[in-house]
Amino acid sequence: MTRVPAGGVSPRPTSFTRATQAKGSAGGADVPTRIDMAKFAKFCKDMGFIYQSSEIYGGINGFWDYGPLGVELKRNIKEAWWQDMVRNPPPGPAGQEIRMVGLDCSIIMNPKVWVASGHVGGFSDPMMDCSKCRKRFRADKVWQIAYFDHAENVPGLVAVLEDTATLKEQGAADPYKDALKYVKDMQPKILVSVEADNQADAASSHTLSSTLKKGFKGEPRQVVFPASKKLQDRQPYCPSCGDGLLSEPRAFNLMFESHAGAVQSEENKVYLRPETAQGIFVNYRNVLDSTRLKLPFGIAQTGKAFRNEINPRNFTFRSREFEQMEIEFFCHPSESRTWYEYWRNLRKQWYSTLGIKSDNLVPREQGPEELAHYSVGTTDIEYLFPFSDEPQELEGVAHRGAFDLTAHAKASGMNEKFMYFDEERWNADAAGRTTNSFKEWMKSNPPAADVEKYQFTPHVIEPSAGADRFTLAVLCEAYTEDKVPDAKGNEETRVVMKFHPRLAPIKAAIFPLVNKDGMPERATELYRALKPHFNVFYDDKGAVGRRYRRQDEAGTPFCITIDGQTAVDDTVTVRDRDTLKQERVKVGDVRAVIEKALAPGV
Ligand code: GAP
């Protein structure tokens, strides 16, 4: 009998929530909202969710391995995505069926792909180097904090500096620059640099010691601005050593390079793909030809992507090797806004159906200054990860216009083969024309807008999600500490991973109450009956209360116990992880109970 290690044998992790919300519903639960990520990573390791890659050799920054529970969780996430988006997407905005097919492309492609896509020329981050410790930082992640003496000479304008959002709303082209010029002649008493994802996190990460505070007459006024914007032409300090100065931002390409073949020459240079999307674009014509799909339709792909991130951080949030779940949805330009809105709403809803609380999920429409030049709109679906006070990107839903297909059509010489002729629309309008030949009709020099009705380069809506990032969000969201009665009726703290049953690594655990009286035989029989359908776990070790706790920590939604009553009436107890309620269920109905909980919700 195979026994999947639930990892529950490791010592119970000590509490590491940073704060808790008010009492929740299930079992008087305290719902954790903030988590210490270092301790959370340790919990994930102890439980077998996520390990540091090659840990016995000191690990490698930005690379992670999934353990026995983690691999099941991530697989369930990818399978839920594939099932709900590719095989069974909900109807479109007008109630129409969504046509979606999948691809599985190679990680290494012809390097010309990355030239045409713009990645060779432009897939870079602006980096700043420290003159002393030589560390390298992403320019947009380094913040300067200037402390002015409020009592001395800081006029109200300094307060404006703190409120760049208002300046933005008021139409300032560059709020930081505009604000900084007002303090040109004011000397900050202290100027430091910190590394953080955003201004709010930077502000909260640095506080002055009480000794330093004594140097101020009044309460120090803290002003936070990006290091790329210089105050009084002063170079920013290094946030790591605090001693060196940071260089001007310089572009650093994020693609990993390798060589295909024996010779390590420039001609043999190849790249590990930094996104799965380009494999879809370059196969667009192949898919059209082999499937005879009609617009609108989507092509989906999941797979590894690699980015030589300068500063991998926040556990798996920003890694150098990660998996994406991407859709390129092709449509007529005139319908692209409707489809953009459809995908934006659907993708947010998808996360909610998998148990992400809507309070923690924030769609953020990018402002015009953030948008790529070809894009009509991009919405980042953001999640309030516990490591930040600001929501962070989980997925981007981008309107990419005709940018990618046009670029590949031109660079590859496919040209008009990448255009789409809408035969259905052409035939539907036949009544108003003298000819049914598009070629003949073109000779009459019709206006461009009329031609575009029938022949055009499709526009693309791209919902691009990270499988690892969502796995991390699911882990953070699921982690709960609550109070439950122990065997003697005393309250004890329980760690429970409240995964949505569809995502839970183990769906049900089967326990014989005691290892005698025919209970192990009946339990084994049930285990074997369920095993072909779900990932189930057999546990006959220790007190049943202890077995429950182990499964709670693994996030198993159901624990099924075979007891003395089973021999009498062929029933078992089914215990619900969240409500702790136990129901007696006929052995023959157990499978249906589990199946019901696993039904997709989109
Ligand atoms: N084709 C579009 C594209 O790749 P992106 O915003 O760069 O867009 C899409 O990436 C998603 O991939 C992100 O929303 C995130 O979930 C995931 N992702 C990107 N970089 C990542 C990294 N370094 N580590 C983990 N996930 C990452």
Side-chain angles (χ1 to χ4, degrees), residues 123 274-277 307 309 316-324 326 328 393-396 400 462 464-470:
F123 190 57
E275 60 173 21
T276 61
R307 296 183 190 176
E309 299 282 2
T316 60
F317 178 83
R318 187 176 304 124
S319 314
R320 289 180 168 144
E321 177 178 339
F322 54 96
E323 257 181 284
Q324 290 187 312
E326 296 201 290
E328 305 302 330
E393 180 184 333
L394 202 53
E395 164 162 356
R400 297 187 60 89
E462 178 189 70
S464 172
D468 303 85
R469 224 172 248 192
F470 185 41

Short mmCIF file of all heavy atoms in Angstrom, two decimals, residues 123 274-277 307 309 316-324 326 328 393-396 400 462 464-470, ligand 1:
data_model
loop_
_atom_site.label_atom_id
_atom_site.label_comp_id
_atom_site.label_asym_id
_atom_site.label_seq_id
_atom_site.Cartn_x
_atom_site.Cartn_y
_atom_site.Cartn_z
N PHE A 123 14.01 43.69 -23.41
CA PHE A 123 13.55 43.01 -22.20
C PHE A 123 14.59 43.17 -21.11
O PHE A 123 15.38 42.28 -20.82
CB PHE A 123 13.31 41.53 -22.50
CG PHE A 123 12.61 40.81 -21.37
CD1 PHE A 123 11.38 41.25 -20.90
CD2 PHE A 123 13.18 39.70 -20.78
CE1 PHE A 123 10.74 40.60 -19.86
CE2 PHE A 123 12.56 39.04 -19.75
CZ PHE A 123 11.33 39.49 -19.29
N PRO A 274 11.68 33.70 -21.95
CA PRO A 274 11.29 34.45 -20.75
C PRO A 274 9.78 34.51 -20.58
O PRO A 274 9.28 35.06 -19.61
CB PRO A 274 11.85 35.85 -21.02
CG PRO A 274 11.84 35.97 -22.50
CD PRO A 274 12.00 34.60 -23.08
N GLU A 275 9.03 33.99 -21.56
CA GLU A 275 7.56 33.91 -21.45
C GLU A 275 7.10 32.83 -22.43
O GLU A 275 7.80 32.52 -23.40
CB GLU A 275 6.90 35.24 -21.79
CG GLU A 275 7.18 35.75 -23.21
CD GLU A 275 6.38 36.99 -23.59
OE1 GLU A 275 5.91 37.70 -22.71
OE2 GLU A 275 6.22 37.21 -24.81
N THR A 276 5.93 32.25 -22.17
CA THR A 276 5.44 31.20 -23.07
C THR A 276 4.68 31.81 -24.26
O THR A 276 4.45 31.14 -25.26
CB THR A 276 4.49 30.23 -22.33
OG1 THR A 276 3.36 30.96 -21.84
CG2 THR A 276 5.18 29.54 -21.18
N ALA A 277 4.33 33.09 -24.14
CA ALA A 277 3.46 33.73 -25.12
C ALA A 277 4.01 33.67 -26.56
O ALA A 277 3.24 33.42 -27.50
CB ALA A 277 3.25 35.19 -24.73
N ARG A 307 13.82 33.96 -16.23
CA ARG A 307 14.25 35.36 -16.25
C ARG A 307 15.38 35.53 -15.24
O ARG A 307 15.23 35.11 -14.08
CB ARG A 307 13.10 36.31 -15.89
CG ARG A 307 11.99 36.27 -16.89
CD ARG A 307 10.87 37.25 -16.58
NE ARG A 307 9.75 36.97 -17.46
CZ ARG A 307 8.59 37.58 -17.43
NH1 ARG A 307 8.38 38.55 -16.57
NH2 ARG A 307 7.62 37.25 -18.27
N GLU A 309 16.32 37.39 -13.07
CA GLU A 309 15.93 38.50 -12.20
C GLU A 309 17.12 38.93 -11.36
O GLU A 309 17.84 38.08 -10.82
CB GLU A 309 14.79 38.06 -11.26
CG GLU A 309 13.51 37.60 -11.95
CD GLU A 309 12.67 38.77 -12.44
OE1 GLU A 309 13.09 39.93 -12.29
OE2 GLU A 309 11.59 38.48 -13.00
N THR A 316 8.86 32.50 -3.35
CA THR A 316 8.81 32.17 -4.79
C THR A 316 8.22 33.30 -5.62
O THR A 316 8.09 33.16 -6.84
CB THR A 316 7.95 30.92 -5.02
OG1 THR A 316 6.63 31.21 -4.54
CG2 THR A 316 8.48 29.72 -4.29
N PHE A 317 7.85 34.42 -4.99
CA PHE A 317 7.12 35.47 -5.72
C PHE A 317 7.90 35.91 -6.96
O PHE A 317 7.34 36.00 -8.05
CB PHE A 317 6.85 36.67 -4.81
CG PHE A 317 6.16 37.80 -5.52
CD1 PHE A 317 4.79 37.78 -5.69
CD2 PHE A 317 6.87 38.86 -6.07
CE1 PHE A 317 4.13 38.80 -6.38
CE2 PHE A 317 6.23 39.89 -6.75
CZ PHE A 317 4.86 39.85 -6.90
N ARG A 318 9.14 36.26 -6.78
CA ARG A 318 9.95 36.59 -7.96
C ARG A 318 11.11 35.60 -8.04
O ARG A 318 12.08 35.68 -7.30
CB ARG A 318 10.48 38.03 -7.90
CG ARG A 318 11.16 38.41 -9.20
CD ARG A 318 11.64 39.85 -9.28
NE ARG A 318 10.56 40.77 -9.05
CZ ARG A 318 10.57 41.72 -8.12
NH1 ARG A 318 11.62 41.84 -7.32
NH2 ARG A 318 9.56 42.53 -7.97
N SER A 319 10.98 34.63 -8.94
CA SER A 319 11.99 33.58 -9.09
C SER A 319 12.67 33.75 -10.43
O SER A 319 12.24 34.53 -11.27
CB SER A 319 11.34 32.20 -9.05
OG SER A 319 10.43 32.09 -7.99
N ARG A 320 13.70 32.97 -10.63
CA ARG A 320 14.39 33.03 -11.93
C ARG A 320 13.86 31.95 -12.87
O ARG A 320 14.03 32.04 -14.08
CB ARG A 320 15.90 32.88 -11.72
CG ARG A 320 16.47 34.13 -11.07
CD ARG A 320 17.96 34.05 -10.82
NE ARG A 320 18.47 35.36 -10.48
CZ ARG A 320 19.44 35.59 -9.60
NH1 ARG A 320 20.00 34.58 -8.97
NH2 ARG A 320 19.84 36.81 -9.35
N GLU A 321 13.28 30.92 -12.30
CA GLU A 321 12.62 29.88 -13.11
C GLU A 321 11.22 29.74 -12.55
O GLU A 321 11.04 29.57 -11.34
CB GLU A 321 13.39 28.56 -12.96
CG GLU A 321 12.74 27.41 -13.69
CD GLU A 321 13.54 26.11 -13.58
OE1 GLU A 321 14.75 26.16 -13.29
OE2 GLU A 321 12.93 25.06 -13.77
N PHE A 322 10.23 29.87 -13.41
CA PHE A 322 8.85 29.81 -12.92
C PHE A 322 7.96 29.32 -14.05
O PHE A 322 8.40 29.19 -15.19
CB PHE A 322 8.38 31.19 -12.42
CG PHE A 322 8.55 32.29 -13.43
CD1 PHE A 322 7.49 32.68 -14.24
CD2 PHE A 322 9.76 32.95 -13.57
CE1 PHE A 322 7.65 33.69 -15.17
CE2 PHE A 322 9.92 33.97 -14.50
CZ PHE A 322 8.86 34.34 -15.31
N GLU A 323 6.71 29.04 -13.70
CA GLU A 323 5.79 28.55 -14.73
C GLU A 323 4.70 29.57 -14.98
O GLU A 323 4.19 30.20 -14.04
CB GLU A 323 5.18 27.23 -14.29
CG GLU A 323 5.82 26.08 -15.02
CD GLU A 323 5.22 24.75 -14.62
OE1 GLU A 323 5.53 24.27 -13.53
OE2 GLU A 323 4.45 24.19 -15.41
N GLN A 324 4.35 29.70 -16.25
CA GLN A 324 3.27 30.62 -16.63
C GLN A 324 2.07 29.83 -17.15
O GLN A 324 2.21 28.69 -17.59
CB GLN A 324 3.74 31.57 -17.72
CG GLN A 324 4.77 32.59 -17.23
CD GLN A 324 5.09 33.63 -18.29
OE1 GLN A 324 5.36 33.29 -19.43
NE2 GLN A 324 5.06 34.89 -17.91
N GLU A 326 -0.65 30.96 -19.84
CA GLU A 326 -0.95 32.11 -20.70
C GLU A 326 -1.97 31.77 -21.78
O GLU A 326 -1.97 30.67 -22.33
CB GLU A 326 0.32 32.62 -21.38
CG GLU A 326 1.35 33.17 -20.40
CD GLU A 326 2.35 34.11 -21.06
OE1 GLU A 326 3.18 33.61 -21.85
OE2 GLU A 326 2.31 35.30 -20.79
N GLU A 328 -3.49 33.54 -25.41
CA GLU A 328 -3.54 34.63 -26.40
C GLU A 328 -4.90 34.46 -27.07
O GLU A 328 -5.17 33.45 -27.72
CB GLU A 328 -2.40 34.52 -27.42
CG GLU A 328 -1.00 34.46 -26.80
CD GLU A 328 -0.63 35.63 -25.92
OE1 GLU A 328 -1.12 36.75 -26.17
OE2 GLU A 328 0.12 35.43 -24.93
N GLU A 393 1.23 41.99 -8.22
CA GLU A 393 0.68 41.34 -9.42
C GLU A 393 0.66 39.82 -9.32
O GLU A 393 1.64 39.17 -9.02
CB GLU A 393 1.52 41.75 -10.64
CG GLU A 393 1.02 41.13 -11.92
CD GLU A 393 1.89 41.46 -13.12
OE1 GLU A 393 2.56 42.51 -13.13
OE2 GLU A 393 1.91 40.65 -14.06
N LEU A 394 -0.53 39.29 -9.63
CA LEU A 394 -0.72 37.84 -9.71
C LEU A 394 -0.80 37.47 -11.19
O LEU A 394 -0.30 36.45 -11.63
CB LEU A 394 -2.06 37.52 -9.03
CG LEU A 394 -2.38 36.16 -8.49
CD1 LEU A 394 -1.31 35.68 -7.55
CD2 LEU A 394 -3.72 36.22 -7.76
N GLU A 395 -1.46 38.33 -11.93
CA GLU A 395 -1.69 38.08 -13.35
C GLU A 395 -1.87 39.42 -14.05
O GLU A 395 -2.39 40.37 -13.48
CB GLU A 395 -2.98 37.25 -13.49
CG GLU A 395 -3.56 37.23 -14.89
CD GLU A 395 -4.54 36.09 -15.12
OE1 GLU A 395 -4.74 35.25 -14.23
OE2 GLU A 395 -5.10 36.05 -16.24
N GLY A 396 -1.44 39.48 -15.32
CA GLY A 396 -1.69 40.67 -16.13
C GLY A 396 -2.65 40.29 -17.25
O GLY A 396 -2.47 39.26 -17.90
N ARG A 400 -3.12 43.63 -26.31
CA ARG A 400 -1.83 43.81 -26.99
C ARG A 400 -2.01 44.30 -28.42
O ARG A 400 -1.03 44.35 -29.18
CB ARG A 400 -1.03 42.51 -26.96
CG ARG A 400 -0.66 42.08 -25.54
CD ARG A 400 0.26 40.91 -25.52
NE ARG A 400 1.52 41.14 -26.20
CZ ARG A 400 2.61 41.64 -25.62
NH1 ARG A 400 2.59 41.95 -24.34
NH2 ARG A 400 3.71 41.82 -26.31
N GLU A 462 -4.41 39.15 -23.84
CA GLU A 462 -3.50 38.19 -23.23
C GLU A 462 -3.68 38.13 -21.70
O GLU A 462 -3.17 38.97 -20.98
CB GLU A 462 -2.04 38.59 -23.53
CG GLU A 462 -1.04 37.66 -22.87
CD GLU A 462 0.37 38.19 -22.99
OE1 GLU A 462 0.69 39.19 -22.33
OE2 GLU A 462 1.16 37.61 -23.75
N SER A 464 -2.25 36.60 -18.69
CA SER A 464 -0.99 35.91 -18.42
C SER A 464 -0.80 35.76 -16.91
O SER A 464 -0.59 36.73 -16.19
CB SER A 464 0.15 36.74 -19.02
OG SER A 464 1.38 36.21 -18.63
N ALA A 465 -0.88 34.50 -16.47
CA ALA A 465 -0.83 34.24 -15.03
C ALA A 465 0.43 33.45 -14.68
O ALA A 465 1.00 32.76 -15.52
CB ALA A 465 -2.06 33.44 -14.61
N GLY A 466 0.84 33.55 -13.43
CA GLY A 466 1.99 32.79 -12.95
C GLY A 466 1.51 31.63 -12.09
O GLY A 466 0.81 31.85 -11.10
N ALA A 467 1.90 30.40 -12.47
CA ALA A 467 1.46 29.23 -11.70
C ALA A 467 2.10 29.22 -10.32
O ALA A 467 1.46 28.88 -9.32
CB ALA A 467 1.79 27.94 -12.44
N ASP A 468 3.36 29.62 -10.26
CA ASP A 468 4.05 29.60 -8.96
C ASP A 468 3.55 30.73 -8.07
O ASP A 468 3.40 30.57 -6.86
CB ASP A 468 5.56 29.74 -9.16
CG ASP A 468 6.07 28.66 -10.06
OD1 ASP A 468 6.02 28.83 -11.30
OD2 ASP A 468 6.48 27.61 -9.56
N ARG A 469 3.29 31.88 -8.70
CA ARG A 469 2.81 33.01 -7.92
C ARG A 469 1.42 32.72 -7.35
O ARG A 469 1.12 33.04 -6.21
CB ARG A 469 2.76 34.25 -8.81
CG ARG A 469 3.32 35.44 -8.10
CD ARG A 469 3.45 36.59 -9.01
NE ARG A 469 4.84 36.90 -9.24
CZ ARG A 469 5.24 38.01 -9.83
NH1 ARG A 469 4.36 38.89 -10.25
NH2 ARG A 469 6.52 38.24 -10.00
N PHE A 470 0.60 32.05 -8.16
CA PHE A 470 -0.73 31.71 -7.63
C PHE A 470 -0.61 30.63 -6.56
O PHE A 470 -1.32 30.65 -5.56
CB PHE A 470 -1.67 31.28 -8.77
CG PHE A 470 -3.08 31.03 -8.29
CD1 PHE A 470 -3.68 31.85 -7.35
CD2 PHE A 470 -3.82 29.94 -8.76
CE1 PHE A 470 -4.98 31.62 -6.89
CE2 PHE A 470 -5.11 29.70 -8.32
CZ PHE A 470 -5.69 30.53 -7.38
N1 GAP B 1 3.48 37.39 -21.75
C1 GAP B 1 3.28 38.42 -20.79
C2 GAP B 1 4.09 38.26 -19.60
O1 GAP B 1 4.95 37.41 -19.51
P1 GAP B 1 4.48 39.27 -17.23
O2 GAP B 1 3.66 40.26 -16.45
O3 GAP B 1 5.93 39.57 -17.38
O4 GAP B 1 3.75 39.14 -18.62
C3 GAP B 1 3.07 37.26 -16.41
O5 GAP B 1 4.33 37.84 -16.58
C4 GAP B 1 2.95 36.59 -15.06
O6 GAP B 1 4.04 35.68 -14.87
C5 GAP B 1 3.02 37.55 -13.88
O7 GAP B 1 1.77 38.14 -13.60
C6 GAP B 1 3.49 36.63 -12.77
O8 GAP B 1 2.38 35.92 -12.23
C7 GAP B 1 4.38 35.64 -13.50
N2 GAP B 1 5.80 36.06 -13.34
C8 GAP B 1 6.48 36.97 -14.05
N3 GAP B 1 7.74 37.07 -13.62
C9 GAP B 1 7.87 36.19 -12.60
C10 GAP B 1 8.94 35.81 -11.73
N4 GAP B 1 10.15 36.33 -11.85
N5 GAP B 1 8.72 34.86 -10.79
C11 GAP B 1 7.49 34.29 -10.66
N6 GAP B 1 6.44 34.61 -11.46
C12 GAP B 1 6.62 35.54 -12.42
#
